[in-house]
Amino acid sequence: MMTLETNSAVSTVTAMLREAQEAPQVVASLLDSNAPLCRELGKRLRASPPPFAVTCARGSSDNAATFVKYLLEIHSGLVTASVGPSVTSVYEARPRMRGALFLAVSQSGRSPDILNLAQAGRDDGALTVALVNDTSSPLASTCEVVLPLHAGPEKSVAATKSFIAALAAGLQLVAHWSQDQDLLNALDTLPDVLAKASAVDWSPALPLLSDADNLFVVGRGVGFAVAQEAALKLKETSGVHAEAMSAAELMHGPWTLAGDHFPILVLSQQDETLSGVNDLVTKLNEQGVPVVVAGAAEGPAAVMLPPVEDVHPYLAPIALIQSFYPLVNAVALARGRNPDNPPRLRKVTETV
């Protein structure tokens, strides 16, 4: 049963919560504005297919890049590597990227290490594409093609709408490049899906998550990126030591940590990974591990959170993180923290 403090946390509106709730409108604007850019870029990529792709990002943006990596490898069959920006900025190496598709994802577009790697990619003959919120930024000037995120100003240190916009921008690029009509049709529904996801009540998970100092956030496949993002948000807004874990990797030792005071949040989508995720939920329950299940997974769990029904599996992870943001906002407040201004963090982080 939730306490008065918990109920207050659920109802408290912060800048983070307001901005998360703006995501459906942001995505609607993005899909409309970027469609001509993605059609043209898709045509260019079909005419000259890259041999591989490279992603470059940090923080939440790197989680968005993970989503694009899975899309490219699963849907497009394109091997995609996340290259550490320090390879060029610190070690002064110059990876060979000629002919590659280079995707830089950033909110501010101002971190020196991201800029350094993007410039190295362009100098070596990669097709450099920036998914960036600030189109006046140095990153936008460095890259050959810019896909704006259209998220507008974001006051809270914790990124929400800009992260969702980056997921949508990556998905739109893949859809237009592949000319997959089913995916393009599904993409048109994304703003409505996000509006529904924003209204889903995940507060039943609040008592368990707000009492935990350690937990795993589990995802797999295209859903792994939002597990990474959920874990990051629990760390930065709520002071919870949360670690993202693949449902497959969890079985290779780490799940021995889980138990009464170390719960697991499972995020899942209706695709080829679901059977394995369901098996994992069953095994965890048999061992007495408290599990919160969100998405398509079934099975016994301490808490079952409702998903948005009948969603394309590539859209489902975006809907899940949209539903998660109000929950983590409430977790932070229940633990006496301000999600808009976490200690020692700034909105724009510039690393070398």
Side-chain angles (χ1 to χ4, degrees):
M1 187 172 183
M2 286 190 288
T3 64
L4 289 175
E5 289 82 4
T6 300
N7 278 316
S8 174
V10 171
S11 61
T12 300
V13 177
T14 62
M16 176 185 174
L17 184 58
R18 282 196 303 271
E19 288 164 0
Q21 291 170 338
E22 293 170 7
Q25 291 75 33
V26 166
V27 168
S29 175
L30 180 152
L31 294 177
D32 182 60
S33 299
N34 286 6
L37 294 171
C38 286
R39 280 195 292 267
E40 183 60 32
L41 181 55
K43 180 179 177 181
R44 180 173 176 180
L45 290 166
R46 289 193 301 275
S48 182
F52 62 96
V54 169
T55 67
C56 171
R58 290 203 186 277
S60 286
S61 294
D62 197 34
N63 298 335
T66 298
F67 180 69
V68 179
K69 168 185 167 67
Y70 272 96
L71 290 175
L72 290 173
E73 292 186 338
I74 294 169
H75 191 67
S76 307
L78 189 69
V79 172
T80 303
S82 172
V83 176
S86 62
V87 166
T88 56
S89 65
V90 175
Y91 290 97
E92 298 183 353
R94 285 295 181 265
R96 291 185 290 275
M97 294 182 274
R98 182 167 300 278
L101 171 63
F102 180 99
L103 295 170
V105 187
S106 176
Q107 299 162 45
S108 70
R110 284 177 162 73
S111 189
D113 52 354
I114 303 295
L115 294 169
N116 196 302
L117 186 57
Q119 188 63 60
R122 187 162 188 179
D123 289 347
D124 197 49
L127 171 55
T128 52
V129 179
L131 281 63
V132 63
N133 197 36
D134 185 351
T135 55
S136 66
S137 65
L139 182 63
S141 300
T142 299
C143 292
E144 184 177 351
V145 178
V146 177
L147 297 180
L149 299 184
H150 298 282
E154 200 169 45
K155 304 283 188 187
S156 178
V157 168
T160 54
K161 61 180 179 175
S162 62
F163 174 76
I164 289 175
L167 300 183
L171 183 58
Q172 187 180 32
L173 169 58
V174 171
H176 281 283
W177 181 4
S178 64
Q179 295 186 307
D180 181 335
Q181 194 58 52
D182 287 342
L183 184 54
L184 287 166
N185 291 341
L187 196 62
D188 288 340
T189 71
L190 182 55
D192 288 339
V193 167
L194 292 176
K196 292 175 182 176
S198 186
V200 169
D201 180 15
W202 279 14
S203 63
L206 183 51
L208 181 59
L209 297 187
S210 61
D211 285 343
D213 290 324
N214 303 279
L215 61 85
F216 286 131
V217 185
V218 172
R220 196 166 186 191
V222 292
F224 183 56
V226 296
Q228 291 179 311
E229 171 66 5
L232 175 60
K233 286 294 180 288
L234 284 161
K235 285 193 280 271
E236 69 179 348
T237 69
S238 307
V240 176
H241 179 217
E243 184 177 357
M245 188 69 60
S246 161
E249 292 296 334
L250 188 69
M251 305 289 288
H252 288 271
W255 72 336
T256 190
L257 293 171
D260 289 343
H261 302 291
F262 200 126
I264 294 180
L265 170 61
V266 175
L267 305 174
S268 58
Q269 65 279 347
Q270 183 78 44
D271 68 1
E272 292 84 349
T273 66
L274 185 57
S275 174
V277 173
N278 282 336
D279 289 345
L280 174 64
V281 171
T282 299
K283 290 176 182 177
L284 290 169
N285 181 71
E286 290 172 350
Q287 296 190 10
V289 177
V291 181
V292 177
V293 172
E298 299 175 348
V303 181
M304 297 290 293
L305 299 178
V308 178
E309 301 287 351
D310 301 321
V311 176
H312 190 287
Y314 291 170
L315 272 59
I318 313 179
L320 287 171
I321 202 65
Q322 177 79 73
S323 297
F324 173 79
Y325 283 144
L327 173 60
V328 75
N329 179 76
V331 170
L333 294 170
R335 291 171 65 86
R337 296 171 69 100
N338 178 2
D340 292 335
N341 190 26
R344 296 182 293 280
L345 292 180
R346 296 183 301 169
K347 181 60 182 173
V348 177
T349 302
E350 296 184 0
T351 49
V352 176

